[in-house]
Amino acid sequence: MARFVFITGGVVSSLGKGLTSAALGALLQARGFTVRLRKLDPYLNVDPGTMSPFEHGEVFVTDDGAETDLDLGHYERFTGVAARATDSVSSGRIYSNVLEKERRGDYLGKTIQVIPHVTNEIKDWISIGEDEVDFMLCEIGGTVGDIEGLPFFEAIRQFSQERPRGDCILMHLTLLPFLAASGELKTKPTQHSVKELRSIGLQPDILVCRSEHEIPEKERGKIALFCNVRPDSVIPAYDLKSIYEAPMAYHKVGLDQAVLDAFNISPAPKPNLDRWIDVEDRLHHAEGEVRVAIVGKYTQLEDAYKSIAEALTHGGMANRVKVKSEWIDAEIFEREDPAPYLEGFHAILVPGGFGERGTEGKIRAAQFAREHKVPYLGICLGMQMAVIEAARNVGGLKDAGSEEFDHEAGAKRFTPVVYHLKEWVQGNQTVSRKVGDDKGGTMRLGAYDATLAEGSRVAEIYGNLAIDERHRHRYEVDIKYRKNLEEQGMCFSGMSPDGRLPEIVEWKDHPWFIGVQFHPELKSKPFSPHPLFADFVRAAKDMSRLV
């Protein structure tokens, strides 16, 4: 059975619980253990799928079609373990499950209460798959003291008491603020955060303390004394230049050893950190720089494109170059000529998104890349915009557009080169959707197979004619325009196995122009860059030598 590490946060939000959890998972793997990471979020949305990227950042998608918190992306990038739908749950999902059971009569007429019914549901979720791994790392979202987090804290308290002694530990992240006026690191917020935890029956075994300044031994001893933890279990967490330095940084300050000591695992297996030594080497010994323009609509919040930014970094590591990503608001190109903004970039990437805002600017970015022979990668909506651009400016269909924009406006304005996907095959079943269906969880979600055309650029990049990639969309390029566009030089180089859904398009007479309906960024890792991103950065590197 698995040992459980519960990771909580205090003082302020955004301390990096997800990154710390992912780094710890990587370190336990380096010592030969198997791990799974899980995120429990207190918000009442059933999942983040219907939330604006400005609210919650990127929505990560698993192979089995769950829309999850972006921290699951960190988990996958650091451990290589594919996340599942059972690795992410919110209060909304928990309460929804409890209410469904109540309606079915599963509780036999009992009064439904937070304790025991909601907490039991949380505990059941925590224990899913516990017999498959050595360590289960469960991160609790939010901050200690938030009212919506209380059922989760109570659930892990109960869970720890019900397990055999020594099967569960609690790791708590806090902040040590520095007061410049007095030149002091203050430990009192951490003390109060731990006091809050202890008031609800939880005692941390390990404290991870974020700080912009070095934490003196005296202060670590003070924290240990007042928070009732061992001095070697007070772990400093300093700011890093790159998130991929985290595993080595945490190893140097003893995080993995503190966790194994808390579980009384002795002697502890020695770690093999070669993978992370190589990652750091590639990160810090780049042999050049490429500039990539990301033309999107959520550019004010970098977390909205978190996986894309990381996948570009991985592509740079594969080519030993530094990728300098610059975010450009697509709406600017609806008012101004894109040329002054895009000249000087070595590649252009247009990511996914929803709604009409900014799409005309994305179309103009695709046109610039096609006409000026600049490497272009269009992802999801970015592929659809490239097809609309081709239909308008090469295929002679001047009013080409997407049904999505007509549905949003409530008026027919375009010839729909991109249409609402009403039916597709998932495994052995046909899935049907209507325009008026609920938004949540109704897209084409998760991993689907695709067949690549022999001799195509993508077949060469993947080194295979059969691939599977993760999807998240409800609109699709209409296959009936394929013949017209292929006559103009746009190749439909990837199709669904039944030949009905276009997955990849590319221009034959272009150095590197590829649009994909799926999200390749979701499967990229620093030690295993996604082939499309690795080759995209290679093309940008070649372009940098020409300009």
Side-chain angles (χ1 to χ4, degrees), residues 1 12 45 61 122 134 176 285 368 404 409 414 416 440 452 485:
M1 305 292 276
V12 295
N45 303 69
V61 179
I122 295 169
D134 299 319
L176 298 188
H285 295 94
F368 179 91
E404 179 178 7
F414 299 111
L452 308 185
L485 291 172

Side-chain angles (χ1 to χ4, degrees), residues 360-414:
E360 291 297 326
K362 292 182 178 184
I363 289 168
R364 295 190 72 186
Q367 181 180 2
F368 179 91
R370 177 179 61 80
E371 292 177 349
H372 292 79
K373 306 295 184 187
V374 178
Y376 175 92
L377 176 58
I379 295 173
C380 198
L381 185 68
M383 167 190 165
Q384 295 173 4
M385 296 304 96
V387 172
I388 290 172
E389 189 278 321
R392 287 182 184 179
N393 298 321
V394 182
L397 201 62
K398 295 299 181 186
D399 63 345
S402 171
E403 265 191 345
E404 179 178 7
F405 312 149
D406 281 348
H407 291 156
E408 187 178 333
K412 188 173 184 338
R413 298 165 295 156
F414 299 111

Side-chain angles (χ1 to χ4, degrees), residues 348-351 366 375-387 450 452 457-458 461-462 467 471 476-477 490-495 501-508 510 512-520 532 536:
I348 297 167
L349 189 152
V350 175
Y376 175 92
L377 176 58
I379 295 173
C380 198
L381 185 68
M383 167 190 165
Q384 295 173 4
M385 296 304 96
V387 172
L452 308 185
R457 181 180 293 277
V458 285
I461 291 170
Y462 277 98
I467 62 169
H471 294 65
E476 187 85 42
V477 172
M490 175 174 268
C491 174
F492 283 60
S493 54
M495 299 293 296
L501 305 177
E503 295 280 11
I504 306 174
V505 296
E506 57 185 69
W507 281 105
K508 292 178 181 177
H510 194 284
W512 208 100
F513 191 111
I514 293 173
V516 296
Q517 184 58 73
F518 46 82
H519 290 269
L532 277 174
F536 177 58

Side-chain angles (χ1 to χ4, degrees), residues 216-275:
E217 283 302 316
K218 178 186 171 187
E219 301 304 316
R220 289 179 68 179
K222 183 179 178 181
I223 293 167
L225 177 64
F226 284 97
C227 297
N228 194 31
V229 298
R230 294 176 178 274
D232 57 4
S233 293
V234 179
I235 307 296
Y238 303 121
D239 294 349
L240 303 170
K241 290 180 181 176
S242 166
I243 62 173
Y244 300 115
E245 296 175 351
M248 294 297 291
Y250 274 127
H251 175 66
K252 286 171 185 170
V253 295
L255 176 62
D256 48 330
Q257 188 62 55
V259 168
L260 296 174
D261 288 346
F263 283 114
N264 292 316
I265 298 175
S266 181
K270 296 224 176 302
N272 178 357
L273 295 165
D274 290 349
R275 168 185 280 182

Side-chain angles (χ1 to χ4, degrees), residues 4 36 38 84 86-87 121-133 136 159:
F4 288 81
R36 178 161 288 284
R38 191 157 277 166
R84 303 176 193 162
T86 52
D87 293 331
E121 189 71 25
I122 295 169
K123 289 187 290 183
D124 289 345
W125 198 281
I126 289 170
S127 60
I128 294 171
E130 64 175 318
D131 56 344
E132 299 174 8
V133 293
M136 191 78 80
F159 190 89

